[in-house]
Amino acid sequence: MDWLRDRSIAIVGCAQLPSVRRSGKTALELAADVTARLLARTGVERARIDGLAATLANSEAGNAFWTSVMCETLGLSVGWAQVTDIGGCSVTGNIARAAAAIHSGMANTVLCLAADAPSTQFTTVQSGYRQEFLDPFGYGLPVAFGLLSNAYAAKHGLPERGMARLAVAQRDGALLNDHAVDVLRQPLTEQQYLDSRMIADPLRLLDCVMRCDGGNAFLVMSTQQARSQGFTRFVHPIAYRERIHFDARQDVDDITVTGFSDVGPAALKAAGLAPGQIQSIHPYDDFFIALILQLEQIGFCAAGQAERFILDTGVGRDGGLPVNTGGGQISAGQPGLSGGGVNLAEAVEQLMGTAGPRQLKRADNALVTGIGVIQYGRNWGCSSALVLEAGA
């Protein structure tokens, strides 16, 4: 998708719902709420939407007609729709899919929509294709990421100080984010992070995301159409890469090597940017060890050097590389499979200059990533990288 560099595609608006625990709502109700917010914010009439890119929901895992049901619920009639099933990569992936649909003439105005209510109802199975081995031993996401953490620590040492610094920086962002789940909007110190109890050694409680309910929505159209409709603030997706089932032949004998070693450098090259030119990064953050691996494998620092990079560069709003300035999912909450939109919405708000008290001094570009599914004894299976640029 190197044609994205022509800036012909624009994200003209985004909307989020506050993340809440046990909302009692369905994913469809949340989808309706966030769509209404987006239309009110952008002033675009519902009837103008002719494309829908949706993300699956953990709370609606049994629904095989998700986009049709969504269209019925939202009062939409579209000429192109798709549902994306690559977990935390789905929201960023849908921006690219919307861009492709517009570029090919299949749609003009695309709603990229994600909503989920896993803390109210959770019906999906995430233990993978070997449930008979995984479930009896309680092998789930914390255990899988604990395994990754131990593998990294065996090679480079556990980057506790770096992860503590990330925890504090992201929590500082959440304190200024009205969309963050209430229970997490509390100040945090590095020592409090280090003192939090072990969940899956060496993962601590404060390494892990909190599941909640919520949703986010983005409106995508051509830049030409955006200007003709009077939009003066929008964001261009200028490069995108994704990798599904990295290392299919299992040639890489290192569990810590992920698909970001492929998609990260490729996306930056396609955007014509070096890592040092990225002004903020909004990496998918279900566990802090994932941020450590992404920083190294995308190219911000060498393998084993993420902790030193974090401490020397600074990852807060005033640092050399601000990370997840709205709190990310670890400090703002993970609304299920719409979680990737937490990171994406923050990046879009920053580039539009609408991040309020979290607004960065420099916000001309940003990198957003996604992660999806983790297999037994391996790293995550899906990786995505989306480079954004402020437009006018």
Side-chain angles (χ1 to χ4, degrees):
M1 298 182 71
D2 289 349
W3 52 267
L4 284 173
R5 284 188 65 181
D6 66 10
R7 281 76 172 166
S8 61
I9 302 297
I11 302 170
V12 299
C14 72
Q16 297 181 75
L17 298 178
S19 293
V20 298
R21 292 278 291 162
R22 302 180 185 89
S23 69
K25 291 190 174 184
T26 67
L28 288 171
E29 289 175 305
L30 295 169
D33 289 347
V34 77
T35 299
R37 287 191 179 208
L38 177 66
L39 296 180
R41 193 171 187 182
T42 60
V44 173
E45 296 178 358
R46 193 177 298 260
R48 294 188 69 102
I49 296 173
D50 61 355
L52 173 66
T55 295
L56 285 175
N58 282 315
S59 56
E60 300 284 347
N63 195 316
F65 303 96
W66 191 229
T67 56
S68 295
V69 173
M70 271 197 158
C71 285
E72 180 182 5
T73 302
L74 302 176
L76 297 176
S77 177
V78 301
W80 173 85
Q82 85 148 56
V83 63
T84 303
D85 65 345
I86 49 177
C89 298
S90 297
V91 177
T92 52
N94 276 342
I95 298 296
R97 286 155 175 76
I102 293 166
H103 185 71
S104 67
M106 297 183 71
N108 294 304
T109 304
V110 179
L111 171 64
C112 295
L113 179 59
D116 203 354
S119 69
T120 293
Q121 174 177 275
F122 194 87
T123 61
T124 194
V125 175
Q126 294 189 333
S127 54
Y129 67 100
R130 302 309 299 266
Q131 294 168 236
E132 70 274 24
F133 293 116
L134 306 186
D135 288 354
F137 294 99
Y139 186 92
L141 292 178
V143 175
F145 279 90
L147 178 61
L148 277 180
S149 300
N150 276 308
Y152 183 94
K155 293 183 66 177
H156 307 295
L158 189 67
E160 290 183 305
R161 292 178 61 214
M163 292 193 290
R165 190 67 54 86
L166 284 168
V168 171
Q170 293 200 183
R171 184 62 65 89
D172 286 347
L175 294 175
L176 301 175
N177 185 357
D178 292 339
H179 296 106
V181 65
D182 286 346
V183 70
L184 294 176
R185 296 188 69 189
Q186 303 291 331
L188 178 70
T189 67
E190 291 184 23
Q191 192 58 49
Q192 285 175 318
Y193 163 83
L194 293 169
D195 289 342
S196 63
R197 64 185 175 90
M198 287 292 175
I199 298 296
D201 195 2
L203 284 187
R204 297 174 166 86
L205 176 65
L206 294 180
D207 280 305
C208 310
V209 289
M210 176 183 290
R211 281 181 179 157
C212 55
D213 303 348
N216 40 76
F218 305 84
L219 202 61
V220 184
M221 60 183 62
S222 71
T223 302
Q224 181 180 14
Q225 181 176 326
R227 290 185 175 129
S228 70
Q229 289 186 219
F231 287 100
T232 57
R233 284 182 175 176
F234 41 79
V235 172
H236 299 298
I238 62 171
Y240 178 76
R241 292 292 188 275
E242 71 184 28
R243 176 62 57 190
I244 313 301
H245 194 48
F246 174 70
D247 186 30
R249 301 196 317 170
Q250 299 190 39
D251 292 329
V252 180
D253 189 22
D254 184 348
I255 192 176
T256 67
V257 179
T258 77
F260 285 104
S261 61
D262 171 16
V263 302
L268 290 176
K269 181 179 179 181
L273 295 170
Q277 293 175 288
I278 295 297
Q279 295 178 2
S280 68
I281 181 172
H282 305 267
Y284 195 91
D285 61 316
D286 39 5
F287 299 88
F288 279 126
I289 188 62
L291 276 68
I292 297 292
L293 296 177
Q294 289 179 70
L295 287 172
E296 294 179 0
Q297 293 171 31
I298 291 172
F300 291 95
C301 56
Q305 295 300 309
E307 180 172 67
R308 177 47 52 196
F309 175 82
I310 290 166
L311 297 177
D312 289 348
T313 304
V315 291
R317 288 190 306 280
D318 297 325
L321 182 66
V323 174
N324 282 334
T325 50
Q329 296 171 72
I330 290 179
S331 273
Q334 183 187 61
L337 290 177
S338 66
V342 170
N343 309 74
L344 177 59
E346 177 65 16
V348 171
E349 296 281 15
Q350 288 288 351
L351 298 185
M352 286 188 172
T354 54
R358 306 184 310 281
Q359 186 63 50
L360 297 171
K361 295 176 182 177
R362 293 194 314 152
D364 298 315
N365 67 47
L367 174 63
V368 186
T369 70
I371 290 175
V373 75
I374 188 161
Q375 300 105 317
Y376 175 71
R378 301 191 67 194
N379 60 59
W380 50 82
C382 308
S383 304
S384 67
L386 175 68
V387 183
L388 301 174
E389 182 181 87

